[in-house]
């Protein structure tokens, strides 16, 4: 797959159809993947990498890249295309400056899970149906995908590319998933249990802002936490309140815009399951305001900027269990 | 049920912030005063142009600084002075309250109530009821900021 | 740092009675920014305002906090005071320590402590205030009056006489309203039509008045001085400017079994009709629910007999868009329906009638040509029982809690007219109280009792039951003599409660004008601003604001007209300066704010910004039209970054208030 993509990108560059290519590059280790912009076929040849560690959602980088001179090509997995669409809708990406190549995806691997499974010295990975063949300096092993997939890939919501200029591979279907199961489980707990759970998680937050920096919905010119006039400006969480506040406000701001790309949880150095917070927002919106998938349709209006005369009252919360 | 403030048995005096919209609920609060109705002095009202002006940041700020309960009052849906403001407020607060509950914050600490300018009695009754609910829940610890404790 | 003056008002004993105002002034003296803190019995009085003005000048104050009654009461007053002293009027905040403190709490220490907290919140806010300059918007010099009854007509005439153009929109085919259905009016007993019809004609002929009859308001957009209204002209199937009102069509129309609304269903009219002889405009209207031609394509007789060729079966509803500077609501009232009052046998006997129906019976142009006869058998009644307060002052939940105000007087009127014309008819009036507060009203009622021998009995009627002979058995109690009464009556007249017209609620939503739970339009202030809605540019005239009789309606109509004239006479209106603005350095152009703005005040522009490396970046940023923005703040919350903020109620100001309260 990597070679096919590399080839295609090279051709596009050489034909002059695009001026730059946004893809991935490996760092010291093959699983240290960074998004990277390639400006010529040679660099592409040397540096471009695509494997099942390429979980990075490239759409956010286009906010800056699409405003530069020339056209940029980008490879988007199905989940990434939703983020791309959402950013188009919010006028952040200039659509005509981007050439989207949709690529198939069977799920991406989580290096932390692989390491936790005892596999060390990873040098490569290939995916086949529901197993991975992991190459290491000690030889190759097979491991079942369900053990090592990224958290978000465990409930892949869609193999369908909602936007592309061309496709490599086949387009897929929207999936039926159980991505709200854990959210439901938490909802059914008592308030005390939930408080314990979230304190356990959020107290480990170090305000590295990785979640904010990687999130396609968090593309504000200046974040509210950096804006001195907002009243909540701050670089660190000085106490439990601020630990909560940062995440509550971020979750509220992305409500209705979060495409559930799962990047926030992937990049958190403290392994905080942030997707559980954002999925709660999505679940609530689906339940109260009608099923809505952000990024599916460029023209759709976010439920948080719409209303009906018969909306539920906030007091409906008191009719729910789990108290 | 009205709380007779001169024979208040509970020692806990909650801090309650009420965000009221200028056109309906603030006027309703004024009417409660005109009619000399009673509700606890723990309730302090902040005037806003519309319930849609209420930012979750304000609610969190109130809890941070020591509030035990926050109530948002606006015009009845359909009667917003700005036509649509309270519809948005309604959606936003539904999501916010649900999120706070998800994090384990007591449900009774937040409320939205629609009070019109003619409903002085409803305003007083609502504040009495809300104060009672908050007193039962006790002081806000879960969303408090230790640095702001008195 | 600001230099803030704090002025605590006693409001006589209204505040000082339960709040230690001196202690409040003392406590607030030590707040950040405060340079002077004082108290005074009546801050809003001239001497009180002079204290403020002098303090501003003497101490070079940059901000002021008034601890007093509600800002809804005197914010405008104190802003003017600040302006007079040379201080920007928006550098002033009010702490409401009366309606929301001294009048609520009885315990002085508690109330004082709360007043201090509210004062601190206001001071914290003012510390962050910035001077605001109000913008200006133009005024369309045209008024819209919704409702063509006596209230609407009088308002329109007064506005027109002042030289402004005014449109009347009336949903029935003619103007005139309920007064046109009346026979005589109290307390003078002049003929209603005689005093109303000249006004109707004057309205029709006035060069400044345009009447849209058989029309409704479909949509209202805009704000004070700049309303855009869509009016739906319903299809009459008759060309209004050609029809001469000759009535030939009515005569020849074969469909003569349509219930006549003007006579409250007591007789019939034809499918093509002119509501009454003095209708304005005197133009026929075809009722599409009963016209054979419109329903099945067969007939067409009216078109054949019309010498003016005014019939047009193909006519469609027409939508007209017009611009207005002010709108007056004059939608009037209706008697309530009597479905909750079965005990009075209204649906069981045709001889139990409402007062309005009785009015039509007495009227010479009514269903009985003015002869007082029983609707059931046409026999003259010898005993009539009038029941007051049917549906009014009702706390049981079946009717209205309020007093309908006009019923005592009109029942006395009906009683007197009946006794005068038919001295052989006995008249009983069952009442709870007799309310006759107006000029010459009590004398009027006394004549009924003393000169006309009307039997006024203080008591309630429990039941009215039709008997086998077609009479009505009235079971009542006399509370003064403390006995049960049984009266065999020939007719019973129910003084039905009045309620606002059903169209008023949807109209209120269109106008964003507040209504109370009884569907009466609320006034901006019950005593001081009785003819204005809190929504700027909307005015109230007549019964739609509250029960009132004709003299009061005409007074109020004139008052509403004066307010409209005061508005239209201006060439420019000062806008509200507390509007939203977007910090273009922070805005990312995501366009979420535009979606929640009710007024379409937000647009986007591509702006050039210099990057640190001196290159130019073009960014799409939001731009708020300050003249259109009404300052609701919905956009400020939709904006995640906080780039959008609201002047006068900024994020930091509100947070400062929260901080002060929760301290």
């Amino acid at each position: 797959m990597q070679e096919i993509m590399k080839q295609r990108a090279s051709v596009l560059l050489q034909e002059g159809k695009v001026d730059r290519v946004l893809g991935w590059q490996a760092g010291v280790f093959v699983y240290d993947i960074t998004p990277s912009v390639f400006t010529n076929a040679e660099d592409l040849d040397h540096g471009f990498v695509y494997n099942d560690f390429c979980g990075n959602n490239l759409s956010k980088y286009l906010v800056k890249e699409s405003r530069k001179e020339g056209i940029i090509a980008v490879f988007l997995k199905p989940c990434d295309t939703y983020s791309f669409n959402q950013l188009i809708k919010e006028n952040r990406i200039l659509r005509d400056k981007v050439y989207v190549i949709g690529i198939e995806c069977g799920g991406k691997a989580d290096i932390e899970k692989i390491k936790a499974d005892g596999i060390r010295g990873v040098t490569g990975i290939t995916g086949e149906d529901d197993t991975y063949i992991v190459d290491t300096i000690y030889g190759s092993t097979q491991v079942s995908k369900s053990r090592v997939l990224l958290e978000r890939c465990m409930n892949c919501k869609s193999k369908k590319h909602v936007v592309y200029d061309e496709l490599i591979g086949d387009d897929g279907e929207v999936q039926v998933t159980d991505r709200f199961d854990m959210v439901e489980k938490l909802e059914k707990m008592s308030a005390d249990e939930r408080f314990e759970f979230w304190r356990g998680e959020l107290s480990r937050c170090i305000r590295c802002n990785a979640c904010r920096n990687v999130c396609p919905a968090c593309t504000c010119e200046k974040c509210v936490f950096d804006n001195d006039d907002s009243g909540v400006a701050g670089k660190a969480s000085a106490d439990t309140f601020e630990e909560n506040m940062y995440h509550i406000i971020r979750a509220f701001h992305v409500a209705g815009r979060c495409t559930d790309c799962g990047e926030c949880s992937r990049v958190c150095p403290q392994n905080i399951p942030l997707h559980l917070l954002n999925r709660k927002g999505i679940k609530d919106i689906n339940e109260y305001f009608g099923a809505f998938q952000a990024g599916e349709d460029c023209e759709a209006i976010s439920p948080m900027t719409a209303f009906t005369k018969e909306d539920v009252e906030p007091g409906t919360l008191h009719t729910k269990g789990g108290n | 049920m009205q709380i007779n403030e001169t024979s208040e048995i509970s020692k806990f005096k909650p801090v309650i912030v009420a965000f009221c919209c200028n056109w309906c609920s603030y006027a309703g609060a004024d009417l409660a005063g005109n009619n000399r109705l009673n509700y606890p002095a723990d309730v302090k009202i902040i005037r806003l142009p519309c319930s849609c002006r209420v930012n979750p940041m304000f609610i969190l700020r109130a809890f941070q600084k020591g509030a035990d309960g926050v109530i948002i009052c606006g015009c009845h849906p359909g009667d917003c002075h700005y036509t649509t403001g309270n519809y948005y407020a309604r959606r936003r607060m539904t999501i916010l309250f649900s999120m706070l509950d998800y994090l384990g914050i007591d449900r009774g600490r937040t409320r939205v109530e629609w009070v019109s300018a003619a409903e002085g009695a409803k305003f007083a009754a609502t504040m009495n009821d809300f104060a009672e609910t908050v007193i039962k829940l006790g002081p806000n610890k879960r969303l408090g900021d230790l640095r702001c404790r008195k | 740092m600001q230099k803030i003056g704090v002025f605590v008002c006693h409001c006589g004993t209204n505040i000082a009675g339960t709040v230690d105002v001196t202690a409040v002034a003392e406590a607030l003296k030590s707040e950040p920014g405060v340079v002077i803190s004082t108290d005074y019995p009546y801050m809003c009085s001239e001497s009180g305002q002079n204290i403020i003005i002098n303090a501003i000048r003497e101490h070079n104050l940059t901000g002021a906090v008034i601890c007093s009654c509600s800002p809804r009461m005197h914010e405008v007053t104190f802003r003017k005071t600040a302006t007079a002293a040379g201080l920007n009027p928006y550098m002033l905040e009010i702490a409401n320590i009366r309606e929301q403190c001294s009048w609520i709490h009885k315990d002085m220490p508690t109330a004082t402590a709360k007043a201090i907290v509210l004062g601190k919140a206001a001071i914290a806010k003012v510390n962050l205030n910035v001077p605001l300059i109000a913008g200006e918007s133009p005024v369309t010099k045209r008024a819209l009056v919704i409702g063509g009854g006596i209230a609407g007509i009088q308002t329109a005439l007064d506005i027109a006489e002042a030289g402004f153009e005014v449109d009347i929109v009336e949903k029935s085919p003619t103007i005139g309203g309920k007064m046109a259905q009346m026979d005589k009016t109290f307390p003078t007993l002049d003929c209603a039509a005689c005093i109303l019809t000249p006004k109707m004609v004057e309205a029709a002929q006035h060069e400044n008045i345009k009447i849209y009859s058989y029309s409704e308001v479909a949509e209202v957009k805009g704000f004070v001085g700049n309303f855009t209204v869509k009016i739906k002209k319903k299809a009459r199937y008759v060309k209004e400017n050609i029809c001469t009102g000759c009535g030939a069509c009515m005569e020849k129309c074969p469909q003569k079994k349509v219930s006549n609304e003007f006579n409250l269903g007591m007789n019939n009219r034809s499918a093509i009709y002119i509501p009454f002889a003095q209708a304005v405009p005197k133009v026929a209207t075809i009722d599409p629910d009963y016209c054979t031609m419109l329903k099945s394509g067969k007939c067409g007789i009216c078109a054949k007999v019309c010498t003016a060729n005014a019939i047009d079966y193909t006519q469609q509803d027409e939508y007209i868009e017009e611009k207005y500077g002010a709108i007056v609501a004059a939608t009037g009232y209706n008697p309530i329906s009597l479905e909750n009052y079965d005990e009075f046998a209204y649906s069981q006997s045709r001889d139990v009638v409402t007062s309005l129906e009785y009015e039509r019976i007495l009227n010479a142009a009514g269903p009985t040509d003015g002869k007082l006869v029983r609707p059931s058998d046409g026999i003259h009644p010898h005993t009539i029982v009038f029941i007051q307060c049917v549906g009014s002052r009702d706390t049981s939940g079946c009717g209205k809690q309020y007093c309908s105000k006009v019923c005592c007087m009109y029942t006395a009127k009906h009683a007197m007219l009946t006794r005068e014309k038919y001295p052989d008819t006995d008249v009983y009036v069952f009442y709870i109280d007799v309310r006759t507060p107006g000029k010459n009203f009590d004398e009027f009622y006394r004549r009924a009792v003393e000169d006309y021998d009307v039997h006024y009995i203080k008591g309630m009627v429990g039941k009215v039951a039709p008997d086998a002979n077609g009479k009505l058995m009235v079971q009542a109690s006399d509370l003064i003599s403390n006995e049960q009464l049984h009266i065999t009556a020939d007719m019973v007249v129910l003084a039905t409660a009045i309620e606002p017209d059903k169209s008023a609620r949807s109209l209120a939503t269109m106008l964003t004008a507040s209504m109370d739970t009884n569907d009466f339009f609320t006034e901006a202030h019950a005593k001081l601003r009785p003819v204005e809605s809190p929504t700027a540019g909307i005015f109230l005239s007549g019964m739609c604001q509250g029960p009132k009789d004709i003299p009061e309606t005409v007074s109020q109509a004139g008052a509403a007209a004066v307010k409209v004239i005061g508005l239209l006479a201006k060439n420019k209106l000062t806008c509200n300066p507390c509007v939203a603005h977007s910090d273009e350095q922070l805005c990312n152009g995501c366009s979420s704010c535009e979606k929640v703005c009710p007024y379409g005040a937000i647009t986007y522009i591509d702006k050039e910004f210099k990057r640190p490396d001196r290159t130019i970046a073009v960014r799409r940023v939001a731009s708020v039209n300050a003249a259109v923005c009404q300052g609701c703040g919905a956009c400020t919350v939709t904006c995640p970054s906080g780039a959008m903020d609201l002047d006068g109620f900024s994020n930091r100001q509100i947070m400062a208030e929260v901080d002060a309260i929760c301290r």
Side-chain angles (χ1 to χ4, degrees):
Chain A
M1 185 65 177
Q2 179 180 297
E3 294 315 308
I4 300 173
M5 289 163 67
K6 217 191 256 189
Q7 253 295 18
R8 188 70 193 116
S10 270
V11 166
L12 286 169
L13 271 175
Q14 269 149 11
E15 280 178 1
K17 222 168 163 191
V18 304
D19 302 286
R20 287 161 291 133
V21 174
L22 175 57
W24 301 265
Q25 204 172 37
V28 174
F29 301 108
V30 73
Y31 47 81
D32 260 342
I33 303 288
T34 0
S36 201
V37 176
F38 303 95
T39 47
N40 57 61
E42 217 186 299
D43 290 341
L44 200 65
D45 201 44
H46 282 147
F48 184 89
V49 152
Y50 181 71
N51 59 38
D52 277 342
F53 286 119
C54 291
N56 320 58
N57 179 348
L58 297 176
S59 46
K60 183 167 182 176
Y61 303 96
L62 294 167
V63 173
K64 279 236 169 72
E65 292 298 320
S66 71
R67 274 148 219 276
K68 294 188 181 156
E69 284 295 314
I71 314 261
I72 183 162
V74 65
F75 292 101
L76 294 181
K77 309 186 284 299
C79 49
D80 304 342
T81 57
Y82 284 82
S83 310
F84 182 85
N85 244 4
Q86 181 66 22
L87 287 167
I88 297 283
K89 181 170 145 188
E90 292 181 1
N91 305 293
R92 311 296 283 129
I93 298 179
L94 302 175
R95 179 69 183 93
D96 46 3
K97 302 283 284 298
V98 181
Y99 188 79
V100 178
I101 306 169
I103 48 176
E104 274 184 322
C105 176
K108 295 285 173 278
D110 185 347
I111 186 62
E112 301 301 323
K113 285 188 179 174
I114 290 176
K115 285 185 185 169
D117 233 20
I119 304 171
R120 320 295 305 206
V122 176
T123 54
I125 186 166
T126 347
E128 250 173 44
D129 294 325
D130 33 345
T131 50
Y132 279 124
I133 301 171
V134 184
D135 303 318
T136 76
I137 52 179
Y138 308 110
S140 294
T141 48
Q142 264 195 5
V143 66
S144 138
K145 272 191 183 174
S146 58
R147 285 183 71 85
V148 299
L149 272 180
L150 281 175
E151 190 63 45
R152 68 152 186 266
C153 295
M154 309 271 285
N155 319 98
C156 176
K157 68 175 184 289
S158 174
K159 302 250 188 260
K160 179 176 176 204
H161 300 83
V162 288
V163 58
Y164 57 85
D165 290 312
E166 72 174 57
L167 266 182
I168 296 182
D170 296 320
D171 200 4
E173 300 283 310
V174 174
Q175 309 284 299
V176 172
T177 83
D178 51 4
R179 59 183 170 135
F180 297 120
D181 276 7
M182 189 57 194
V183 174
E184 265 175 41
K185 201 158 151 220
L186 280 169
E187 283 175 341
K188 290 201 175 76
M189 291 183 195
S190 73
D192 289 336
E193 288 172 326
R194 277 200 297 278
F195 185 69
E196 283 308 311
F197 174 83
W198 282 109
R199 274 284 82 228
E201 297 296 344
L202 296 179
S203 58
R204 295 179 293 114
C205 171
I206 55 176
R207 284 293 281 272
C208 67
N209 290 326
C211 52
R212 178 189 78 175
N213 293 347
V214 84
C215 173
C218 281
T219 48
C220 287
E221 196 68 24
K222 193 157 211 184
C223 176
V224 70
F225 293 105
D226 294 329
N227 176 1
D228 290 317
D229 278 335
S230 68
V232 294
K235 294 274 183 234
S237 291
D239 81 325
T240 61
F241 172 81
E242 289 190 351
E243 281 163 0
N244 285 334
M245 176 190 75
Y246 172 84
H247 291 285
I248 295 171
I249 290 181
R250 205 184 85 81
F252 185 84
H253 281 177
V254 305
R257 300 161 54 226
C258 169
T259 58
D260 205 11
C261 73
E263 284 287 83
C264 47
S265 292
R266 184 180 71 81
V267 302
C268 178
Q270 298 285 72
N271 288 321
I272 300 173
L274 294 167
H275 59 284
L276 289 181
L277 204 45
N278 295 316
R279 278 191 184 156
K280 166 69 173 163
I282 297 174
K283 179 171 181 288
D284 278 346
I285 287 177
N286 285 346
E287 186 183 330
Y288 295 130
F289 310 135
F292 181 78
Q293 175 55 52
E296 189 167 42
D297 179 359
C298 254
E299 306 299 317
I301 299 178
S302 159
M304 296 311 287
T305 56
F307 63 87
T308 68
K309 299 199 176 143
E310 294 83 28
D311 277 336
V312 292
E313 292 293 327
T316 190
L317 184 58
H318 295 274
T319 60
K320 303 267 162 197
N323 199 5
Chain B
M1 192 201 98
Q2 235 168 294
I3 297 178
N4 186 339
E5 50 187 28
T6 54
S7 66
E8 181 62 77
I9 31 167
S10 162
K11 291 254 161 55
F12 166 49
K13 294 220 132 271
V15 174
I16 295 176
V17 178
F19 290 102
C20 289
C21 81
N22 178 57
W23 301 96
C24 281
S25 46
Y26 192 90
D30 281 351
L31 185 60
N34 278 330
N35 294 343
R36 312 294 192 274
L37 300 172
N38 277 87
Y39 54 87
D42 312 306
V43 175
K44 280 51 170 205
I45 296 169
I46 293 181
R47 185 170 76 125
L48 298 172
C50 181
S51 49
C52 67
R53 179 70 188 95
V54 178
N55 196 318
M57 299 193 302
F58 303 159
I59 299 174
L60 292 175
R61 179 76 162 217
F63 283 123
Q64 176 187 22
K65 296 290 176 177
D68 303 293
V70 174
I71 181 167
I72 293 105
C73 297
C75 308
H76 287 266
D79 295 338
C80 177
H81 176 79
Y82 303 97
T83 59
T84 51
N86 54 6
Y87 288 131
Y88 294 118
R90 184 161 62 171
R91 281 208 170 183
R92 289 169 186 161
M93 294 304 121
T94 305
I95 296 296
L96 178 68
F97 293 178
S98 183
M99 213 167 269
L100 288 176
D101 172 62
Y102 190 58
L103 262 67
I105 312 299
D106 318 81
R107 282 175 190 173
R109 294 201 186 276
T110 49
R111 188 186 294 195
V112 165
E113 196 70 49
W114 310 117
V115 179
S116 84
E119 291 177 314
K122 183 175 179 192
F123 187 87
T126 302
M127 292 305 148
N128 278 318
D129 185 70
F130 188 61
E132 198 185 321
T133 311
V134 173
I135 288 175
K136 281 208 191 89
L137 288 171
N140 161 41
K141 296 214 175 72
R142 293 187 172 174
L143 261 188
D145 188 330
L146 290 170
R147 300 168 296 172
C148 299
R149 284 272 181 84
K150 283 181 263 260
Chain C
M1 194 61 177
Q2 301 262 29
K3 285 160 87 179
I4 297 173
V6 177
F7 306 93
V8 185
C9 184
H10 299 208
C11 196
T13 53
N14 282 309
I15 296 177
T18 43
V19 168
D20 184 346
V21 284
T22 326
V24 172
E26 193 56 42
L28 296 178
K29 206 176 261 181
S30 44
E31 283 298 292
V34 176
V35 301
I36 169 185
S37 179
T38 181
D39 58 275
Y40 188 73
Y42 293 102
M43 273 304 171
C44 56
S45 66
E46 195 180 325
S47 36
Q49 292 191 43
N50 280 333
I51 290 180
I52 300 173
I53 293 176
N54 291 335
I56 292 175
R57 290 190 181 141
E58 198 186 309
H59 297 269
N60 284 322
L61 296 180
T62 57
V65 167
I66 323 282
C67 300
S68 64
C69 54
S70 172
R72 289 175 61 91
M73 190 76 209
H74 276 314
E75 188 171 59
V76 175
T77 315
F78 289 122
R79 288 213 200 282
K80 287 203 182 96
T81 312
T83 312
L87 177 66
N88 181 290
Y90 293 91
M91 296 305 291
L92 179 139
E93 291 294 328
I94 297 191
N96 185 341
I97 62 170
R98 190 182 72 171
E99 282 88 335
Q100 292 178 6
C101 187
S102 72
W103 275 351
I104 301 281
H105 311 300
K106 303 287 173 285
D107 176 57
M108 193 172 255
T110 318
T112 308
K114 179 167 171 178
I116 294 174
V117 170
L118 293 175
K120 285 181 179 172
I123 293 168
K125 186 176 184 199
V126 167
N127 264 312
L128 296 169
N129 278 26
V130 288
L132 298 174
I133 313 281
E136 286 179 335
S137 67
V139 178
T140 308
K141 292 181 189 286
R142 193 185 190 94
L144 172 65
V145 174
I146 305 175
I150 180 64
I153 292 170
Q154 185 61 47
T155 304
L157 283 172
D158 288 340
I159 296 173
E161 273 301 292
F164 294 103
E165 287 181 33
V166 54
D167 292 349
I168 301 178
V169 170
E170 165 56 51
K171 71 177 197 278
S172 51
T174 171
I175 58 173
K178 292 292 175 300
M179 193 173 164
Q181 290 173 291
M182 283 176 200
D183 181 36
K184 306 261 191 305
T185 53
F186 58 79
T188 43
L189 291 181
D190 3 37
C191 151
C194 304
I195 51 179
L196 176 65
T197 45
K199 284 198 190 280
M200 287 165 63
V201 170
E202 206 188 326
Q205 292 179 340
H206 204 294
E207 57 186 7
N208 285 338
I209 298 181
K210 187 165 180 186
I211 299 178
Y212 290 97
S213 60
Y214 209 47
S215 303
E216 285 169 15
V217 169
E219 191 186 66
V220 178
K221 279 202 190 117
F223 53 96
V224 58
N226 301 278
F227 292 109
T228 306
V229 179
K230 215 185 252 181
I231 299 171
K232 175 180 172 189
K233 272 189 80 162
K234 297 184 285 195
R236 295 180 117 104
Y237 307 101
V238 172
K239 291 182 209 143
E240 204 174 310
N241 48 351
I242 299 181
C243 171
T244 59
C246 69
C249 51
M250 288 202 296
E251 231 185 279
K252 299 286 188 232
C253 176
Q255 172 55 279
K256 287 211 165 30
K257 293 252 174 72
V258 187
S259 174
N260 186 353
E261 309 85 351
F262 192 73
N263 284 326
L264 303 162
M266 288 188 288
N267 69 353
N268 290 332
R269 59 163 168 82
S270 41
I272 184 168
Y273 67 107
I274 295 173
F276 56 97
Q278 299 82 19
V280 167
K282 191 151 183 213
V283 163
T285 307
I286 299 183
D287 187 341
D289 295 329
Y290 293 96
C291 168
T292 326
M293 182 64 173
L294 289 175
K295 285 174 66 166
S296 61
K298 300 194 182 74
C299 187
I301 292 178
C302 52
K304 292 193 194 91
V305 300
C306 177
T307 48
N309 247 329
I311 311 285
D312 178 6
Y313 299 114
T314 62
Q315 206 178 70
Q316 301 286 325
D317 290 342
E318 205 188 317
Y319 284 89
I320 295 158
E321 211 173 79
E322 229 354 309
K323 289 198 189 309
Y324 301 100
I327 299 179
V328 181
T331 46
Y333 71 98
N334 281 310
I336 61 168
S337 93
L338 290 169
E339 58 208 10
N340 288 336
Y341 294 93
D342 280 334
E343 62 265 37
F344 299 126
Y346 177 72
S347 48
Q348 291 144 45
S349 168
R350 290 182 62 194
D351 298 322
V352 176
V353 297
T354 64
S355 304
L356 198 56
E357 287 166 356
Y358 194 72
E359 188 89 35
R360 292 310 304 149
I361 292 174
L362 289 182
N363 188 286
T368 60
D369 294 330
K371 281 198 274 295
L372 177 58
V373 292
R374 285 160 36 109
S376 59
D377 50 22
I379 297 178
H380 175 73
H382 290 282
T383 310
I384 306 182
V385 169
F386 287 83
I387 305 176
Q388 302 266 222
C389 293
V390 176
S392 303
R393 305 179 65 189
D394 188 341
T395 49
S396 70
C398 294
K400 306 292 177 187
Q401 291 205 15
Y402 51 82
C403 165
S404 296
K405 199 164 189 187
V406 291
C407 337
C408 284
M409 281 304 290
Y410 68 53
T411 299
K413 170 189 79 175
H414 288 159
M416 278 207 285
L417 290 174
T418 309
R419 289 287 302 157
E420 185 174 45
K421 213 166 166 190
Y422 306 100
D424 64 320
T425 304
D426 270 335
V427 173
Y428 295 87
V429 177
F430 284 93
Y431 68 95
I432 308 173
D433 296 294
V434 179
R435 295 181 162 175
T436 52
K439 187 168 174 180
N440 295 318
F441 281 15
D442 206 60
E443 296 92 315
F444 182 82
Y445 147 71
R446 297 225 63 77
R447 287 211 324 270
V449 174
E450 288 162 10
D451 297 348
Y452 288 90
D453 237 351
V454 175
H455 308 295
Y456 266 82
I457 304 172
K458 187 176 173 85
M460 303 283 286
V461 169
K463 201 175 154 78
V464 174
D467 74 6
N469 303 324
K471 299 262 190 189
L472 298 159
M473 308 303 290
V474 177
Q475 214 172 292
S477 49
D478 181 336
L479 295 176
I480 293 182
S481 63
N482 208 358
E483 40 182 46
Q484 288 289 312
L485 294 179
H486 296 273
I487 300 179
T488 310
D490 296 304
M491 274 182 80
V492 170
V493 183
L494 307 173
T496 333
I498 58 101
E499 63 179 5
D501 190 271
K502 293 271 187 285
S503 67
R505 185 145 271 280
S506 52
L507 184 65
T509 308
M510 268 193 267
L511 298 173
T512 66
S514 7
M515 264 195 155
D516 66 17
T517 43
N518 292 313
D519 276 8
F520 287 110
F521 280 94
T522 9
E523 48 296 290
H525 188 280
K527 286 178 279 286
L528 301 179
R529 296 177 66 196
V531 296
E532 305 161 74
S533 168
T535 309
I538 312 290
F539 302 93
L540 314 171
S541 179
M543 280 265 211
C544 66
Q545 179 261 337
K548 54 179 70 71
D549 48 45
I550 294 169
E552 287 175 332
T553 300
V554 174
S555 299
Q556 194 190 43
V562 157
K563 295 289 181 187
V564 168
I565 292 165
L567 170 60
L568 299 185
K570 297 193 170 82
N571 287 317
K572 284 209 198 28
L573 281 180
T574 339
C575 306
N576 169 23
C578 295
V579 293
H581 71 273
S582 172
D583 186 336
E584 57 191 27
Q585 294 294 336
L586 310 176
C587 174
N588 65 18
C590 71
S591 308
S592 302
C593 47
E594 171 195 44
K595 298 193 172 64
V596 298
C597 177
Y599 305 99
I602 305 177
T603 49
Y604 298 94
I605 47 178
D606 288 318
K607 243 189 145 170
E608 289 187 347
F609 293 90
K610 257 216 184 102
R611 291 201 191 92
D613 62 0
R614 308 273 175 94
T615 53
I616 305 282
V618 175
R619 277 201 355 251
R620 179 187 154 97
V621 292
S623 164
V624 178
N625 181 343
V628 177
C629 172
Q630 297 298 301
C632 70
C635 54
T636 59
V637 182
T638 315
C639 175
S641 64
M644 189 68 87
D645 212 344
L646 188 64
D647 288 334
F649 295 94
S650 71
N651 289 329
R652 290 179 72 209
Q653 282 175 305
I654 296 173
M655 300 251 208
E657 284 185 274
V658 168
D659 290 355
I661 286 174
C662 300
R663 240 193 274 163

